Amino acid sequence: MIPNKQTETLLADRPSPETIAAWRQDFPILGREVNGKPLIYLDNGASSQKPRAVINRLEHYYAHEHANIHRGVHVLSQEATGAYEAARETVARYLNAAEARECIFTRGATEAINLVASSWGGANLQAGDEVLLTVMEHHANIVPWQMLETRLGIKLVVAPISDEGELLVEEWEKLISPRTKLAAFCHASNSLGTVNPAKAMIAKAHAKGVPVLLDGAQSSAHMKIDVRDLDCDWFVCSGHKIFGPTGIGVLYGKAALLGAMPPYQGGGDMIDVVSFSGTTFRGLPERFEAGTPNIAGAIGLAAAFDYLDSIGHEAIAAQEQDLLAYATAQLQQIEGLTIYGRAAEKVSLISFMIDGLHPNDIGTMLDMDGIAVRTGHHCTMPLWERFGLTGTTRASFAFYNTREEIDALITSLNKIRRLFLG
Ligand code: PLP
């Protein structure tokens, strides 16, 4: 990325080495070795590591508070219920939702999108209706809509991007027609890093009466999310990418919209009265949380949000933008290396190819040096088709990564180049 005014300001506020070292102490896994080398974890876009605060909270919950929620009169059940609902309050505060009941716990971003597609889409879309996507979407924001294409006969319309990996917003806007019933797009691309101008896009869609689902799976670990400021109708994210547990995610939806959506799954806890002559459903949020939820996951996710608040979003952004600028400059020095995704605004990840080298070979060789990166299509096959590729190598940084780790990545890449290409 070419540093712009915004990143120049951030770089000036770069956290001190002592601060970064203290952050790293919070993540026990960063102290381990892989293949006899200190672990260098650059696969944060796939899943981030867990701070002691989250690990301890999970341990405390299972050691002292666990029972099933919402149904027990006994103390443990009430304590677990209290902790679970307190977690919802934390999530709502973190996302700046107007009310906690607007935050539904799901298994992750994927399930949250499927919930909206199945429930809202099933009730509101019909043959000929259009859903506007972009070519940079993760499969999780393509396939659920494609399933509705098969089921209902809706049409998917796909907005293009530039060679730099930026959404062509004017083209996107032109694709909104009277048939468009929904726009769904990523806040940040997991393959290119591109940050889409979500707030402006949402305003444009709303001006044409089109609701918006914003996929925040890649943005939520990197920036302060304010769903009310964005004015998105739905927002989805995954706990495991935000330093929280796996198997937990959030669907935020405006209360009026969510409240009008039919249940997604049926079962315990989401009902008012069940009889064989008919069943009535509870209100928000219970109607979308059938069965025993991931209680520990929700509590752990709240601990992750509290932890991130203690670090501070400005400090996180300053460190990550520094890593992005530093790594971009260093990678560009490597002969034959091409970076895919050169948007003016990016989250801290870099997709690249090296002439003559297959991403899988690069990933395997980096692993021998203890460096974990992602290789392959990153669940964005249509995006790579756009670039005439089948995938890339992707290094994705969190605030606990360091410039020294990027130096090690560069050294290792140069070594791999020499080994394979002479
Ligand atoms: N959307 C984007 C942009 C992602 O990067 C991912 C995961 O990589 C998802 C959705 C799906 O997230 P999950 O697999 O945690 O449900």
Side-chain angles (χ1 to χ4, degrees):
M1 185 187 67
I2 298 133
N4 56 26
K5 267 266 161 290
Q6 179 206 348
T7 53
E8 272 167 23
T9 319
L10 285 168
L11 301 191
D13 298 336
R14 194 154 72 89
S16 68
E18 294 73 27
T19 302
I20 299 163
W23 291 340
R24 289 180 66 82
Q25 288 297 319
D26 293 338
F27 291 81
I29 205 168
L30 298 181
R32 71 161 280 181
E33 292 193 343
V34 168
N35 290 322
K37 306 276 172 54
L39 167 67
I40 296 181
Y41 189 75
L42 306 180
D43 195 17
N44 296 284
S47 200
S48 54
Q49 297 301 346
K50 316 305 166 200
R52 184 68 74 191
V54 170
I55 298 166
N56 288 352
R57 186 65 190 94
L58 291 174
E59 205 215 325
H60 182 85
Y61 167 73
Y62 279 124
H64 301 285
E65 294 173 329
H66 173 69
N68 212 332
I69 55 165
H70 292 156
R71 2 188 143 161
V73 290
H74 58 82
V75 166
L76 273 189
S77 176
Q78 287 172 14
E79 283 182 10
T81 303
Y84 182 73
E85 291 306 330
R88 197 189 308 279
E89 298 279 348
T90 301
V91 168
R93 213 171 33 248
Y94 191 84
L95 298 178
N96 197 29
E99 303 172 70
R101 68 192 181 113
E102 293 179 315
C103 297
I104 312 294
F105 286 119
T106 63
R107 274 196 304 125
T110 302
E111 189 180 53
I113 297 172
N114 275 278
L115 194 166
V116 176
S118 177
S119 166
W120 182 87
N124 292 283
L125 299 177
Q126 52 194 25
D129 286 346
E130 293 180 359
V131 169
L132 177 56
L133 304 176
T134 81
V135 76
M136 69 172 88
E137 297 313 310
H138 187 281
H139 297 165
N141 199 24
I142 298 174
V143 183
W145 307 112
Q146 229 164 19
M147 287 161 78
L148 287 187
E149 202 172 23
T150 312
R151 202 172 107 202
L152 302 175
I154 65 161
K155 193 172 159 230
L156 304 190
V157 176
V158 184
I161 57 172
S162 70
D163 290 343
E164 300 294 293
E166 288 187 319
L167 184 69
L168 298 171
V169 178
E170 281 181 18
E171 300 299 313
W172 173 84
E173 199 180 352
K174 278 188 214 148
L175 292 172
I176 301 177
S177 80
R179 289 180 302 282
T180 312
K181 294 296 182 299
L182 173 80
F185 59 87
C186 58
H187 200 180
S189 156
N190 65 309
S191 285
L192 301 170
T194 309
V195 176
N196 284 317
K199 188 176 172 179
M201 289 170 68
I202 291 164
K204 287 179 201 293
H206 284 174
K208 297 188 179 183
V210 174
V212 175
L213 182 147
L214 190 59
D215 175 358
Q218 289 296 331
S219 60
S220 41
H222 303 289
M223 59 184 84
K224 181 83 194 111
I225 302 296
D226 185 334
V227 290
R228 274 190 281 174
D229 182 56
L230 287 162
D231 199 25
C232 48
D233 299 282
W234 298 276
F235 181 88
V236 305
C237 59
S238 282
H240 70 97
K241 293 186 197 285
I242 326 172
F243 313 98
T246 53
I248 190 77
V250 179
L251 166 66
Y252 157 84
K254 287 180 179 167
L257 261 177
L258 279 184
M261 282 162 52
Y264 168 54
Q265 294 177 331
D269 231 25
M270 51 78 75
I271 51 85
D272 245 342
V273 178
V274 179
S275 95
F276 282 111
S277 57
T279 291
T280 53
F281 305 115
R282 294 177 75 183
L284 297 176
E286 291 86 3
R287 70 160 47 208
F288 292 116
E289 292 181 5
T292 303
N294 184 350
I295 307 165
I299 292 168
L301 177 60
F305 284 166
D306 284 341
Y307 174 77
L308 287 177
D309 273 342
S310 77
I311 300 287
H313 284 277
E314 279 166 20
I316 290 172
Q319 169 64 355
E320 291 182 347
Q321 288 298 318
D322 176 68
L323 294 173
L324 178 62
Y326 185 73
T328 302
Q330 299 298 311
L331 285 167
Q332 278 168 340
Q333 308 296 317
I334 296 179
E335 204 185 319
L337 186 145
T338 307
I339 291 176
Y340 289 86
R342 303 175 54 81
E345 227 192 302
K346 279 181 69 171
V347 291
S348 50
L349 68 84
I350 303 178
S351 260
F352 62 88
M353 292 290 281
I354 300 178
D355 289 345
L357 291 180
H358 193 282
N360 282 355
D361 292 332
I362 296 177
T364 307
M365 295 298 287
L366 286 175
D367 188 51
M368 309 274 281
D369 281 340
I371 303 173
V373 295
R374 202 72 170 173
T375 60
H377 55 64
H378 321 304
C379 296
T380 54
M381 283 181 172
L383 171 70
W384 294 125
E385 202 181 317
R386 151 72 176 79
F387 284 102
L389 299 172
T390 53
T392 61
T393 304
R394 182 187 73 183
S396 50
F397 314 114
F399 61 93
Y400 46 61
N401 289 124
T402 63
R403 283 189 176 201
E404 291 71 27
E405 289 181 317
I406 289 166
D407 291 341
L409 169 71
I410 303 297
T411 303
S412 191
L413 286 173
N414 277 319
K415 190 174 78 183
I416 296 164
R417 257 201 101 256
R418 277 196 305 276
L419 208 68
F420 277 84
L421 306 174

